[in-house]
């Protein structure tokens, strides 16, 4: 996919038409080609070597001749048809492999300079005299943010045909390999960093996920099961019999490692069980979502005081006895015991992280749990280093109970997101946008009313004054709750539209003709072959939107990008069709097969433009918040068709 904006293209066209002398060619063509021939004189029927060199501007790259199909456009080099040339062979230097942010793939590229050798055999009957040879290259230049439209460039060199010239010894340098264009190229493979989908660059999204997980770990410290344990645990380390302060700190570090070890094991088990591709499908699996709904419902009711979740006392007693032995092993077992004891409060955080990491696939479950555990364990180790700060910690009291109750309401609200996933995948249409938002309005209003003293539950006394922090937090909950009300009547909710069901007119549910409306654009649904036939009859290209019923980024694109007027105008030249990949029907299985075999990915959202014969002209992976970026992707497909 190309990220060249519409404005940049328009400016380039105007400049080329009216101000050719001022055209910024370097900006839109960062590759310069040159060609030399050795030897300069050759006899008829002999072989010569042409060196074709591409000088690439800093920050840009082009792709190798052997770039796998399904990703960026590979570079091609050939000698233009010439009556003096009998045959030629192309050799390339070894490219480097990088993770390409534009395509979310590991790609073979050349940076700074690309060198090719073409071995040319002259015809035996070529007449004497100068012969001009032309090497034509077709390539796509990209930087870390954008890709230019593929272009063709020529490089020329002259060889003099002289029957008296000696036949030179032709030797191809050892670091060049022959490129055989007749061999099929392997399909491009997604990078192993879990990059797809969503939308941002893989590194950025993964680091963002790590920060969120770490923040969850720090937040879990303030839950009623964990916070009261801080002074007790840290004081225990610093007062071990016969131990120095240094030994106590060492045992505190091992204790923290026990916490990290337990949660890393959870992430590792999840990663091993799901695999890099299976994980992406579980995010919309009804059974997985049903399990998450049950877990969140149980934890939510427990936090609200309906009952208490505890592990078997005998099991915890055995672990506690094992930890009394002291030393490194005892401290490690103590960390495991602490983690299991605190699980009643940190379970919702863990469940949310694992559920969120499932859709990303790859090593996210392991990375998420490691980051979460580090955030949870960090305060214990920090306070073991600086025990004087224990005195400054707030005392446990009513505020702990209030945190527990508020967290219970939030967990129940989060439960509806996974309940909605089941509803849309199974296409029951029971939990509509209006009902979903009604539940959220109530569940986010209740903690606000509770913190302001209008809802009597544990942690709030009738004679207790409302402090400034309670007032502000309670007010924030009520403001957020009220702001959801317009969404019940079809209003857009911005970023939240990625997490709530779409409005009926934008939900893309099948209509009588198997079509769906999205704004002013008619989208076909799960009709790949029919879309090709329609494109053939109307003379249009086909826009494939690989999407999902439970895909949050897909929802955002449909709710916020596709209804924009400029995008609607650009889509008029295409036959748009939505291909759902996460349903339980035969259509979803077929769409998964198309996405996997044709584009070698399982990540959604994924967009591609094909011609009526099914030939891929351009593709675009993930979410974008830039209409110009998406329009440029569509324009690149039209330009590729013309070329």
């Amino acid at each position: 996919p190309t990220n060249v904006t519409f404005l940049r293209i328009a400016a380039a066209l105007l400049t080329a038409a009216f101000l050719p002398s001022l055209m910024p060619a370097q900006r839109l063509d960062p590759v310069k080609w040159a060609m030399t021939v050795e030897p300069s004189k050759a006899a008829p029927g002999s072989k010569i070597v042409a060196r074709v060199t591409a000088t690439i501007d800093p920050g840009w790259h082009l792709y190798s001749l052997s770039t796998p199909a399904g990703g960026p456009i590979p570079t091609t080099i050939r000698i233009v048809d010439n009556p003096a040339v009998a045959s030629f062979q192309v050799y390339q230097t070894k490219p480097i492999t990088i993770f390409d942010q534009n395509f979310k793939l590991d790609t073979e590229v050349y940076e700074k300079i690309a060198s090719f050798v073409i071995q040319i055999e002259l015809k035996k009957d070529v007449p004497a005299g100068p012969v001009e040879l032309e090497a034509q290259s077709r390539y796509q230049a990209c930087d870390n943010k954008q890709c230019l439209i593929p272009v063709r460039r020529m490089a020329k060199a002259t060889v003099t045909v002289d029957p008296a010239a000696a036949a030179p010894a032709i030797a191809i340098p050892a670091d060049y390999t022959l490129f055989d264009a007749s061999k099929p190229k392997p399909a491009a493979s997604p990078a192993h960093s879990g990059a797809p989908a969503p939308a941002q660059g893989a590194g950025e999204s993964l680091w963002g996920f790590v920060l969120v997980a770490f923040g969850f770990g720090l937040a879990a410290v303030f839950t009623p099961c964990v916070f009261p344990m801080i002074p007790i645990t840290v004081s225990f380390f610093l007062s071990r019999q016969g131990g120095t302060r240094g030994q106590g700190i060492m045992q505190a570090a091992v204790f923290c490692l026990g916490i990290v070890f337990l949660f890393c094991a959870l992430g590792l088990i999840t990663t091993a069980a799901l695999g890099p591709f299976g994980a992406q499908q579980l995010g919309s699996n009804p059974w997985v979502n049903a399990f998450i709904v049950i877990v969140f419902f149980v934890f939510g009711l427990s936090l609200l005081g309906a009952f208490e979740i505890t592990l078997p006392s005998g099991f915890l007693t055995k672990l506690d006895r094992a930890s009394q032995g002291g030393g490194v092993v005892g401290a490690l077992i103590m960390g495991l015991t602490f983690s299991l004891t605190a699980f009643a409060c940190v379970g919702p955080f863990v469940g949310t992280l694992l559920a969120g990491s499932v859709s990303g696939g790859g090593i996210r479950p392991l990375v998420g749990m490691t980051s979460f555990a580090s955030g949870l364990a960090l305060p214990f180790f920090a306070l073991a280093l600086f025990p004087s700060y224990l005195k400054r910690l707030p005392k446990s009291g009513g505020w702990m109970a209030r945190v527990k109750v508020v967290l219970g309401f939030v967990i129940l609200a989060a439960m509806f997101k996974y309940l909605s996933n089941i509803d849309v995948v199974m296409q029951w249409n029971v939990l509509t946008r209006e009902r979903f938002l009604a539940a959220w309005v109530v569940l986010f209003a209740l903690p606000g009313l509770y913190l302001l003293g209008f809802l009597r539950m544990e942690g709030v006394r009738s004679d207790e004054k409302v402090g400034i922090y309670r007032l502000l937090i309670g007010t924030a909950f009520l403001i957020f709750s009220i702001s959801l009300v317009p969404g019940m009547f079809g209003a857009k909710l911005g970023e939240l539209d990625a997490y709530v069901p779409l409005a009926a007119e934008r939900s893309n549910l099948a209509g009588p003709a198997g079509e769906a409306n999205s704004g002013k654009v008619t989208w076909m649904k799960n009709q790949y072959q029919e879309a090709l036939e329609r494109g053939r009859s109307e003379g249009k290209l086909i826009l494939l939107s690989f999407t999902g019923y439970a895909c949050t980024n897909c929802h955002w694109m449909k709710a916020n990008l596709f209804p924009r007027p400029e995008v609607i105008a650009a889509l008029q030249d295409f036959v748009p069709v939505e291909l759902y990949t996460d349903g339980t029907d035969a259509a979803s299985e077929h769409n998964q097969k198309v996405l996997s075999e044709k584009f070698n990915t399982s990540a959604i959202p994924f967009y591609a433009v094909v011609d009526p014969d099914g030939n891929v002209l351009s593709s675009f992976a993930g979410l974008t918040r830039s209409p110009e970026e998406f329009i440029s992707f569509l324009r690149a497909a039209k330009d590729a068709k013309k070329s």
Side-chain angles (χ1 to χ4, degrees):
T2 178
N3 298 335
V4 181
T5 63
F6 171 74
L7 291 177
R8 186 177 294 166
I9 294 175
L13 292 176
L14 289 173
T15 305
F18 300 107
L19 298 172
S21 62
L22 299 178
M23 178 178 175
Q26 188 176 14
R27 175 61 176 168
L28 291 180
D29 190 6
V31 183
K32 303 296 181 292
W33 294 85
M35 176 181 174
T36 60
V37 175
E38 299 176 358
S40 59
K41 292 184 179 181
S46 63
K47 294 180 179 180
I48 60 175
V49 171
R51 292 184 178 271
V52 180
T53 303
T55 304
I56 308 166
D57 287 352
W60 291 83
H61 58 263
L62 53 84
Y63 301 93
S64 71
L65 305 181
S66 53
T67 295
I73 295 176
T75 301
T76 59
I77 302 286
R78 71 181 188 91
I79 296 296
V80 177
D81 292 343
N82 191 306
V85 176
S87 64
F88 65 89
Q89 292 179 317
V90 180
Y91 296 78
Q92 66 173 344
T93 53
K94 185 178 180 180
I96 61 174
T97 300
I98 65 170
F99 177 76
D100 197 305
Q101 297 287 354
N102 299 293
F103 298 92
K104 308 299 185 286
L105 297 170
D106 287 330
T107 55
E108 297 180 350
V109 303
Y110 293 106
E111 297 178 341
K112 296 182 180 179
I113 192 167
S115 182
F116 307 92
V117 168
I118 307 177
Q119 181 176 279
I120 303 172
E121 182 179 357
L122 300 176
K123 290 183 178 180
K124 295 181 179 180
D125 58 351
V126 60
V131 174
E132 186 176 68
L133 302 174
E134 287 185 307
Q136 182 189 74
S137 60
R138 183 177 186 269
Y139 63 95
Q140 181 177 34
C142 301
D143 62 11
N144 290 331
K145 297 181 179 179
Q146 62 182 339
C147 284
L148 303 182
I149 296 171
V151 294
R152 289 183 172 87
R153 292 291 182 264
M154 295 289 189
K156 300 179 181 180
T158 301
V159 60
T160 301
V161 177
D162 184 356
I170 300 298
I172 304 299
D175 55 340
Y176 285 78
T177 57
L178 176 64
F179 173 70
D180 188 353
S182 63
K183 292 183 179 180
K185 299 176 183 178
S189 299
H192 297 292
S193 55
Q200 295 84 6
E204 297 171 354
S205 61
L206 183 60
W207 279 111
F209 176 70
V210 167
L211 291 176
V212 170
F214 186 80
F216 272 24
L218 288 177
V221 171
F222 297 95
T223 57
C225 306
V226 179
F227 189 82
M229 296 292 293
I230 293 179
I232 298 173
T233 305
V234 175
S235 298
F236 173 78
F237 290 136
L238 299 180
S239 61
R240 292 297 291 262
Q241 265 188 339
T244 64
R245 182 175 181 273
Q247 291 174 331
I249 293 174
M250 175 60 70
Q251 291 182 348
V254 176
F255 168 82
C256 295
L257 287 178
I259 298 175
V260 174
F261 177 81
L262 176 69
F263 289 104
C264 284
L266 288 176
L268 189 61
I269 291 171
T270 303
T271 301
L274 301 181
F277 293 101
Q280 295 175 3
Q281 300 300 325
L282 285 182
S284 57
N285 185 286
W287 293 104
V288 173
N289 281 279
F291 175 75
I292 295 173
V293 167
I294 294 172
V295 170
F296 275 35
F297 182 72
V298 171
F299 274 117
L301 291 184
S302 174
L303 291 170
L304 290 176
F307 49 82
E308 185 177 356
I309 299 176
T310 57
L311 292 173
S313 58
F315 175 69
L316 292 178
T317 300
K318 290 181 180 179
L319 284 176
D320 184 62
R321 288 176 180 172
S323 67
Q324 297 303 316
V328 173
V329 176
L332 184 64
I333 296 177
M334 189 175 179
L336 296 175
T337 307
F338 168 84
S339 301
L340 293 173
T341 305
F343 208 81
C345 282
V346 303
F349 293 97
V350 173
T352 303
L353 276 177
L354 285 177
S357 63
V358 154
S359 60
I363 61 172
R364 279 175 177 255
L366 176 59
V367 171
M369 287 298 96
T370 304
S371 183
F372 171 82
S374 300
L376 178 63
L378 180 62
F380 290 89
F381 184 66
L383 289 172
L385 289 176
F386 307 102
S388 60
Y389 283 91
L390 280 172
K391 299 179 181 179
R392 304 185 185 182
L393 289 177
K395 302 299 181 182
S396 299
W399 72 273
M400 295 298 303
R402 290 191 287 272
V403 169
K404 184 178 178 182
V405 171
V406 170
L407 186 60
F409 284 121
V410 173
I411 290 298
L412 289 179
M415 176 194 71
F416 274 87
K417 171 65 178 76
Y418 300 98
L419 194 61
S420 173
N421 288 348
I422 302 173
D423 183 78
V424 295
V425 171
M426 301 303 294
Q427 301 187 52
W428 293 335
N429 200 29
V430 174
L431 190 58
T432 61
R433 180 183 177 90
E434 293 77 15
R435 293 167 184 159
F436 181 98
L437 287 175
W440 267 25
V441 167
V442 173
L443 287 172
F444 281 109
L446 287 176
L449 296 173
Y450 164 74
L451 291 174
L452 295 178
F454 294 102
L455 182 63
R456 301 298 183 194
M457 295 183 70
E458 180 187 4
V460 174
R461 300 193 308 268
S462 58
D463 59 341
E464 185 178 7
K465 292 184 179 180
V466 178
I468 184 64
Y469 296 113
R470 273 179 58 189
L471 176 65
L472 293 176
I473 297 174
T475 302
F477 271 106
L478 289 177
I479 291 174
F480 179 72
S481 174
I482 296 172
S483 71
L484 298 174
V485 174
M488 299 174 59
F489 303 96
K492 295 181 181 180
L493 296 176
E495 294 295 321
L496 284 177
D497 275 321
Y499 302 95
V500 303
L502 296 175
E505 64 271 15
R506 298 196 301 273
S507 63
N508 293 317
L509 296 177
E515 297 184 352
N517 289 328
S518 178
K520 298 179 181 179
V521 177
T522 300
W523 288 81
M524 303 176 71
K525 178 183 177 182
N526 292 336
Q527 296 171 294
Y528 178 66
Q529 293 298 331
E530 292 85 346
L532 296 180
E533 294 175 3
R534 180 175 163 186
R536 191 175 294 111
S537 63
E538 297 181 6
K540 293 182 177 180
L541 300 177
I542 298 90
L543 171 63
L544 307 179
S545 171
F546 292 94
T547 184
Y549 297 106
C551 169
T552 55
N553 285 343
C554 306
H555 286 189
W556 191 96
M557 292 286 285
K558 287 188 283 187
N560 296 291
L561 186 79
F562 292 157
R564 295 179 68 98
E566 60 269 39
V567 176
I568 291 176
L571 291 176
Q572 300 303 319
D573 298 330
F574 296 83
V575 176
V577 56
E578 287 188 315
L579 304 176
Y580 285 82
T581 64
D582 63 351
T584 58
D585 52 2
S588 291
E589 293 182 5
H590 175 265
N591 296 336
Q592 289 176 14
K593 185 177 180 181
V594 173
L595 180 61
S596 176
E597 294 182 355
K598 202 173 187 69
F599 302 98
N600 200 46
T601 183
S602 60
I604 54 176
F606 187 88
Y607 306 95
V609 175
V610 300
D611 63 19
D613 295 324
N615 299 313
V616 180
L617 300 177
S618 64
S619 60
F620 189 97
L623 172 148
T624 177
R625 289 176 168 79
S626 169
E628 292 82 6
E629 186 177 8
F630 195 81
I631 292 172
S632 295
F633 147 69
L634 298 177
R635 289 182 177 274
K638 295 171 68 175
D639 292 338
K641 178 62 176 177
K642 293 177 182 178
S643 61

PDB file of all heavy atoms in Angstrom, residues 118-131:
ATOM      1  N   ILE A 118      23.946  -7.579 -15.737  1.00  0.00           N
ATOM      2  CA  ILE A 118      23.209  -8.238 -16.811  1.00  0.00           C
ATOM      3  C   ILE A 118      24.226  -8.785 -17.817  1.00  0.00           C
ATOM      4  O   ILE A 118      25.000  -8.018 -18.413  1.00  0.00           O
ATOM      5  CB  ILE A 118      22.243  -7.263 -17.512  1.00  0.00           C
ATOM      6  CG1 ILE A 118      21.335  -6.575 -16.490  1.00  0.00           C
ATOM      7  CG2 ILE A 118      21.408  -8.009 -18.555  1.00  0.00           C
ATOM      8  CD1 ILE A 118      20.403  -5.543 -17.103  1.00  0.00           C
ATOM      9  N   GLN A 119      24.215 -10.083 -17.957  1.00  0.00           N
ATOM     10  CA  GLN A 119      25.077 -10.709 -18.964  1.00  0.00           C
ATOM     11  C   GLN A 119      24.316 -10.752 -20.284  1.00  0.00           C
ATOM     12  O   GLN A 119      23.246 -11.345 -20.373  1.00  0.00           O
ATOM     13  CB  GLN A 119      25.467 -12.122 -18.535  1.00  0.00           C
ATOM     14  CG  GLN A 119      26.388 -12.821 -19.526  1.00  0.00           C
ATOM     15  CD  GLN A 119      26.827 -14.187 -19.028  1.00  0.00           C
ATOM     16  OE1 GLN A 119      27.736 -14.316 -18.227  1.00  0.00           O
ATOM     17  NE2 GLN A 119      26.157 -15.216 -19.515  1.00  0.00           N
ATOM     18  N   ILE A 120      24.877 -10.087 -21.310  1.00  0.00           N
ATOM     19  CA  ILE A 120      24.202  -9.936 -22.602  1.00  0.00           C
ATOM     20  C   ILE A 120      24.994 -10.686 -23.671  1.00  0.00           C
ATOM     21  O   ILE A 120      26.216 -10.542 -23.779  1.00  0.00           O
ATOM     22  CB  ILE A 120      24.080  -8.445 -22.983  1.00  0.00           C
ATOM     23  CG1 ILE A 120      23.336  -7.666 -21.884  1.00  0.00           C
ATOM     24  CG2 ILE A 120      23.383  -8.287 -24.330  1.00  0.00           C
ATOM     25  CD1 ILE A 120      23.331  -6.173 -22.091  1.00  0.00           C
ATOM     26  N   GLU A 121      24.271 -11.482 -24.444  1.00  0.00           N
ATOM     27  CA  GLU A 121      24.879 -12.178 -25.582  1.00  0.00           C
ATOM     28  C   GLU A 121      24.434 -11.485 -26.864  1.00  0.00           C
ATOM     29  O   GLU A 121      23.233 -11.349 -27.121  1.00  0.00           O
ATOM     30  CB  GLU A 121      24.470 -13.645 -25.613  1.00  0.00           C
ATOM     31  CG  GLU A 121      25.125 -14.411 -26.755  1.00  0.00           C
ATOM     32  CD  GLU A 121      24.738 -15.880 -26.787  1.00  0.00           C
ATOM     33  OE1 GLU A 121      24.003 -16.322 -25.874  1.00  0.00           O
ATOM     34  OE2 GLU A 121      25.155 -16.580 -27.731  1.00  0.00           O
ATOM     35  N   LEU A 122      25.408 -11.006 -27.643  1.00  0.00           N
ATOM     36  CA  LEU A 122      25.099 -10.345 -28.907  1.00  0.00           C
ATOM     37  C   LEU A 122      24.832 -11.374 -30.000  1.00  0.00           C
ATOM     38  O   LEU A 122      25.351 -12.494 -29.975  1.00  0.00           O
ATOM     39  CB  LEU A 122      26.269  -9.450 -29.322  1.00  0.00           C
ATOM     40  CG  LEU A 122      26.645  -8.315 -28.341  1.00  0.00           C
ATOM     41  CD1 LEU A 122      27.876  -7.578 -28.849  1.00  0.00           C
ATOM     42  CD2 LEU A 122      25.480  -7.354 -28.155  1.00  0.00           C
ATOM     43  N   LYS A 123      24.014 -10.971 -30.940  1.00  0.00           N
ATOM     44  CA  LYS A 123      23.732 -11.850 -32.070  1.00  0.00           C
ATOM     45  C   LYS A 123      24.969 -11.955 -32.970  1.00  0.00           C
ATOM     46  O   LYS A 123      25.788 -11.034 -33.058  1.00  0.00           O
ATOM     47  CB  LYS A 123      22.543 -11.315 -32.864  1.00  0.00           C
ATOM     48  CG  LYS A 123      21.210 -11.436 -32.128  1.00  0.00           C
ATOM     49  CD  LYS A 123      20.049 -10.958 -32.993  1.00  0.00           C
ATOM     50  CE  LYS A 123      18.711 -11.129 -32.276  1.00  0.00           C
ATOM     51  NZ  LYS A 123      17.578 -10.669 -33.098  1.00  0.00           N
ATOM     52  N   LYS A 124      25.082 -13.085 -33.651  1.00  0.00           N
ATOM     53  CA  LYS A 124      26.253 -13.328 -34.497  1.00  0.00           C
ATOM     54  C   LYS A 124      26.234 -12.499 -35.777  1.00  0.00           C
ATOM     55  O   LYS A 124      27.289 -12.238 -36.367  1.00  0.00           O
ATOM     56  CB  LYS A 124      26.334 -14.815 -34.847  1.00  0.00           C
ATOM     57  CG  LYS A 124      26.570 -15.707 -33.632  1.00  0.00           C
ATOM     58  CD  LYS A 124      26.655 -17.169 -34.035  1.00  0.00           C
ATOM     59  CE  LYS A 124      26.907 -18.048 -32.815  1.00  0.00           C
ATOM     60  NZ  LYS A 124      26.997 -19.487 -33.174  1.00  0.00           N
ATOM     61  N   ASP A 125      25.040 -12.074 -36.198  1.00  0.00           N
ATOM     62  CA  ASP A 125      24.949 -11.336 -37.457  1.00  0.00           C
ATOM     63  C   ASP A 125      24.785  -9.841 -37.241  1.00  0.00           C
ATOM     64  O   ASP A 125      24.380  -9.117 -38.156  1.00  0.00           O
ATOM     65  CB  ASP A 125      23.781 -11.865 -38.292  1.00  0.00           C
ATOM     66  CG  ASP A 125      22.447 -11.766 -37.546  1.00  0.00           C
ATOM     67  OD1 ASP A 125      22.470 -11.448 -36.328  1.00  0.00           O
ATOM     68  OD2 ASP A 125      21.394 -12.004 -38.170  1.00  0.00           O
ATOM     69  N   VAL A 126      25.062  -9.358 -36.014  1.00  0.00           N
ATOM     70  CA  VAL A 126      24.897  -7.936 -35.763  1.00  0.00           C
ATOM     71  C   VAL A 126      25.946  -7.161 -36.554  1.00  0.00           C
ATOM     72  O   VAL A 126      27.131  -7.519 -36.571  1.00  0.00           O
ATOM     73  CB  VAL A 126      25.001  -7.641 -34.244  1.00  0.00           C
ATOM     74  CG1 VAL A 126      26.346  -8.069 -33.699  1.00  0.00           C
ATOM     75  CG2 VAL A 126      24.785  -6.159 -33.962  1.00  0.00           C
ATOM     76  N   PRO A 127      25.563  -6.122 -37.276  1.00  0.00           N
ATOM     77  CA  PRO A 127      26.531  -5.349 -38.070  1.00  0.00           C
ATOM     78  C   PRO A 127      27.463  -4.541 -37.183  1.00  0.00           C
ATOM     79  O   PRO A 127      27.152  -4.225 -36.028  1.00  0.00           O
ATOM     80  CB  PRO A 127      25.632  -4.439 -38.917  1.00  0.00           C
ATOM     81  CG  PRO A 127      24.368  -4.311 -38.145  1.00  0.00           C
ATOM     82  CD  PRO A 127      24.174  -5.623 -37.436  1.00  0.00           C
ATOM     83  N   ALA A 128      28.605  -4.207 -37.706  1.00  0.00           N
ATOM     84  CA  ALA A 128      29.578  -3.406 -36.964  1.00  0.00           C
ATOM     85  C   ALA A 128      29.049  -1.998 -36.756  1.00  0.00           C
ATOM     86  O   ALA A 128      28.266  -1.481 -37.551  1.00  0.00           O
ATOM     87  CB  ALA A 128      30.905  -3.375 -37.705  1.00  0.00           C
ATOM     88  N   GLY A 129      29.518  -1.376 -35.684  1.00  0.00           N
ATOM     89  CA  GLY A 129      29.117  -0.009 -35.391  1.00  0.00           C
ATOM     90  C   GLY A 129      28.567   0.115 -33.985  1.00  0.00           C
ATOM     91  O   GLY A 129      28.450  -0.866 -33.240  1.00  0.00           O
ATOM     92  N   PRO A 130      28.238   1.313 -33.560  1.00  0.00           N
ATOM     93  CA  PRO A 130      27.720   1.530 -32.202  1.00  0.00           C
ATOM     94  C   PRO A 130      26.303   0.968 -32.050  1.00  0.00           C
ATOM     95  O   PRO A 130      25.469   1.098 -32.944  1.00  0.00           O
ATOM     96  CB  PRO A 130      27.757   3.055 -32.041  1.00  0.00           C
ATOM     97  CG  PRO A 130      27.670   3.581 -33.432  1.00  0.00           C
ATOM     98  CD  PRO A 130      28.379   2.589 -34.306  1.00  0.00           C
ATOM     99  N   VAL A 131      26.054   0.361 -30.904  1.00  0.00           N
ATOM    100  CA  VAL A 131      24.722  -0.178 -30.573  1.00  0.00           C
ATOM    101  C   VAL A 131      24.316   0.384 -29.206  1.00  0.00           C
ATOM    102  O   VAL A 131      25.043   0.226 -28.211  1.00  0.00           O
ATOM    103  CB  VAL A 131      24.719  -1.717 -30.530  1.00  0.00           C
ATOM    104  CG1 VAL A 131      23.363  -2.225 -30.047  1.00  0.00           C
ATOM    105  CG2 VAL A 131      25.047  -2.288 -31.894  1.00  0.00           C
TER     106      VAL A 131
END
